[in-house]
Amino acid sequence: MRTLWFRRPVSRLFLCSLLLLPVVSHAAAAGQTGPSPGVWQVLSPAPTKRTEVAAAAIGGKIYVVGGFDEPSLGNLPSPTISRTVEEYDPATDRWTTKAPLPVGLHHVGLVSLGDRLYLVGGYTRSWLSVWSPVASLYMYDPAADRWTEGPAMPTARGALAVAVWDGKLYAIGGYDGTANVAAVEEYDPAGRTWKARAPLPTPRDHLAAASAGGRIYAIGGRLNQNYGRNVAVVEVYDPQADRWSKAADLPVPRSGLTASVLRGTIYALGGEAPEGTFRDNDAYVPGQDRWQSMAPMPTGRHGLGSAVVNERLYVLCGGPKPGGSYSHANEMFLPPDLPRSGSRATPQQVGTVMALLATFEAADVLPPESSPEANRLIRALIQFQAALMKSDNQAVRQVLEEALSAKVGGDAPAAVETFRASGWTSQSLEALIQYLGDEAAWARPGLEEGFGSYNVGRRDFELLARVFLDARQRLTERGQDLHRLYAARRLEMPGAEATP
């Protein structure tokens, strides 16, 4: 009998399956008591030194766009607005230069939504000024490496914040060239329309925004472009009620910061003030309404970008000194086991992934070990399971319920409960593949955004579906039943004794 590659002592599956579990800090591994602040790792620097960039993750890759390039001898008289777009692959720790922006922009908003990146607002050059606010919207298709222009937002502004909730983009605050604006404008990609929403209670610029727990948080910033007038205010937007409320202030007023969400916890990082740049890394758990100081960044910066891939938080580029300064820093944060929404993965949840891979191996359809396709397949199994078990996105929750209802009818409520407790079975995966094989199912508002928050998308699911269907066909040709084989493999994997 041949040895399966994922059963070897140091197996890639074992390492990837750990992504289902909370990351344990170095201190916790050493048996230390008390809360851990997490740890940082320095990775390959970006090709271009920049500041006032934006960053977002899609399809397991991180994109750093725009900003100001570091001056050279040829452009010392004035800042150079960047059109540069660079892609970072955390799996290989490598950078690739991609199609440039249609126009040089800095202080923009950037988010991933569905299978596109959306770049909103910012400043560009107009005559002698590099601070001309714009209302433009550009979309980037990573598969085609192409930018296209969308409908402009109603209010031109730079140094704004952007966030995504339920398949829609929200542009928040900023500076219009004269004063701060309170505008909050919602973009619906399905209808290609903008709509005004409840205004930001404290108009400001150079703020950050993050979406967690069904709310959008507007964090920190400054008044009228003056970093001597930084604010610590945090305000919370309820998109369903179209209403703002107050949350706990940041520990220290700062602006030019970035924010990302990891395991339901918001991390606010970096920033600047007249005294210098910040290394601060503060964590906020929705529901607790308090900030907790975490391990500081190795390099204090402002005008930086951040993104999350596979439960790691990456903080990129930005200026190490207040004002015009530049870096190509790439630092990755491994969080501690903070309280978070969702539950800790169990041995059953890890075992389901291993059993499916064992079934695919038996059918001879697994991609070669360590190949990009093998890594994508493992990540898809892990991340789709996590999304379907833990996401509070309504579209994601409904797609599981409706897929299982179509498969097992009146037994669906029990099947949904079993899935959310234990994870995959071969039957539940087959049900989702059948349901999401319909083009209309992917058109559900918020679905791709919900999966995207777990760093997987439609193309990842299509790979998973193809491997499953190939396995089923090959086994059928041999007179074997995929579901019976899966059940047998499941008994060999972790958590089998607790599986219903």
Side-chain angles (χ1 to χ4, degrees):
M1 177 184 292
R2 59 178 174 153
T3 302
L4 304 185
W5 59 255
F6 54 83
R7 293 184 182 173
R8 294 172 188 164
V10 185
S11 68
R12 179 167 294 274
L13 175 61
F14 175 75
L15 296 175
C16 290
S17 294
L18 291 180
L19 296 178
L20 285 167
L21 302 168
V23 176
V24 179
S25 71
H26 292 175
Q32 297 180 21
T33 60
S36 163
V39 293
W40 287 89
Q41 181 179 351
V42 176
L43 299 170
S44 295
T48 307
K49 288 187 176 183
R50 284 185 280 171
T51 191
E52 309 303 351
V53 300
I58 189 169
K61 309 289 180 59
I62 299 171
Y63 295 82
V64 182
V65 309
F68 289 118
D69 289 333
E70 183 179 39
S72 63
L73 291 177
N75 63 15
L76 284 178
S78 64
T80 300
I81 303 176
S82 183
R83 296 179 60 205
T84 302
V85 177
E86 291 169 339
E87 174 196 86
Y88 176 66
D89 185 350
T92 61
D93 194 27
R94 292 179 180 174
W95 290 88
T96 305
T97 300
K98 310 302 286 186
L101 295 175
V103 62
L105 292 165
H106 59 97
H107 289 84
V108 298
L110 182 72
V111 293
S112 62
L113 181 53
D115 60 356
R116 299 287 190 274
L117 295 177
Y118 288 77
L119 185 147
V120 187
Y123 301 111
T124 193
R125 181 181 296 278
S126 178
W127 298 97
L128 297 178
S129 173
V130 296
W131 298 94
S132 179
V134 299
S136 54
L137 170 68
Y138 293 101
M139 290 86 73
Y140 177 72
D141 179 352
D145 189 26
R146 183 174 63 242
W147 290 91
T148 55
E149 189 167 5
M153 65 179 166
T155 307
R157 49 210 158 117
L160 71 167
V162 292
V164 168
W165 181 83
D166 197 25
K168 297 181 176 64
L169 179 155
Y170 292 81
I172 302 167
Y175 188 78
D176 68 2
T178 302
N180 287 136
V181 295
V184 175
E185 292 163 345
E186 173 196 277
Y187 180 70
D188 181 358
R192 291 174 56 86
T193 55
W194 287 94
K195 179 168 68 173
R197 307 296 287 173
L200 182 65
T202 308
R204 55 203 195 268
D205 56 85
H206 286 78
L207 69 163
S211 181
R215 303 290 189 270
I216 297 173
Y217 293 75
I219 304 164
R222 67 181 67 158
L223 304 180
N224 292 326
Q225 298 268 80
N226 182 353
Y227 61 58
R229 301 181 65 192
N230 284 346
V231 298
V233 65
V234 178
E235 292 163 334
V236 189
Y237 178 65
D238 180 343
Q240 292 180 305
D242 191 27
R243 182 174 61 241
W244 287 90
S245 59
K246 186 76 173 62
D249 285 351
L250 281 169
V252 178
R254 48 193 170 120
S255 61
L257 71 167
T258 185
S260 283
V261 177
L262 176 53
R263 301 186 194 150
T265 296
I266 299 171
Y267 290 85
L269 307 108
E272 67 179 332
E275 298 77 24
T277 53
F278 289 86
R279 297 175 60 207
D280 294 46
N281 170 18
D282 295 315
Y284 178 91
V285 180
Q288 297 186 2
D289 194 33
R290 64 182 180 87
W291 291 90
Q292 178 180 340
S293 294
M294 309 306 293
M297 296 190 300
T299 310
R301 284 168 279 156
H302 71 97
L304 66 173
S306 63
V308 170
V309 173
N310 285 338
E311 298 203 349
R312 272 76 170 153
L313 195 162
Y314 298 80
V315 186
L316 307 120
C317 296
K321 297 178 181 179
S325 62
Y326 312 82
S327 81
H328 52 193
N330 176 11
E331 296 165 352
M332 183 264 286
F333 180 63
L334 296 169
D337 187 14
L338 284 178
R340 58 191 173 111
S341 58
S343 57
R344 182 190 297 268
T346 64
Q348 302 100 284
Q349 295 160 17
V350 176
T352 60
V353 173
M354 297 177 71
L356 283 168
L357 287 169
T359 303
F360 299 157
E361 173 74 13
D364 295 317
V365 297
L366 271 182
E369 179 182 2
S370 300
S371 68
E373 194 171 52
N375 294 339
R376 276 187 64 208
L377 176 65
I378 294 169
R379 181 169 59 85
L381 280 167
I382 292 170
Q383 297 301 101
F384 276 111
Q385 176 173 259
L388 290 160
M389 292 180 71
K390 297 188 270 186
S391 177
D392 58 5
N393 178 285
Q394 190 61 30
V396 172
R397 297 182 70 83
Q398 286 179 350
V399 82
L400 174 64
E401 294 163 3
E402 293 175 11
L404 291 176
S405 180
K407 179 78 171 176
V408 299
D411 294 330
V416 169
E417 185 176 343
T418 298
F419 185 100
R420 289 183 177 147
S422 304
W424 292 121
T425 65
S426 59
Q427 295 280 3
S428 61
L429 179 53
E430 184 176 64
L432 281 155
I433 288 170
Q434 290 170 347
Y435 187 83
L436 289 172
D438 182 356
E439 190 81 18
W442 285 100
R444 180 192 298 274
L447 181 62
E448 294 204 49
E449 181 267 332
F451 285 136
S453 67
Y454 284 78
N455 300 303
V456 283
R458 183 172 180 176
R459 287 193 295 273
D460 299 303
F461 192 83
E462 288 170 349
L463 169 64
L464 177 53
R466 175 171 58 79
V467 172
F468 179 93
L469 295 173
D470 286 349
R472 188 177 66 181
Q473 179 177 341
R474 289 199 182 189
L475 291 169
T476 300
E477 290 169 354
R478 298 177 195 168
Q480 295 177 278
D481 181 79
L482 182 144
H483 301 299
R484 290 182 180 177
L485 180 58
Y486 169 83
R489 292 289 185 265
R490 183 69 192 89
L491 294 174
E492 304 169 0
M493 303 302 173
E497 67 283 354
T499 300

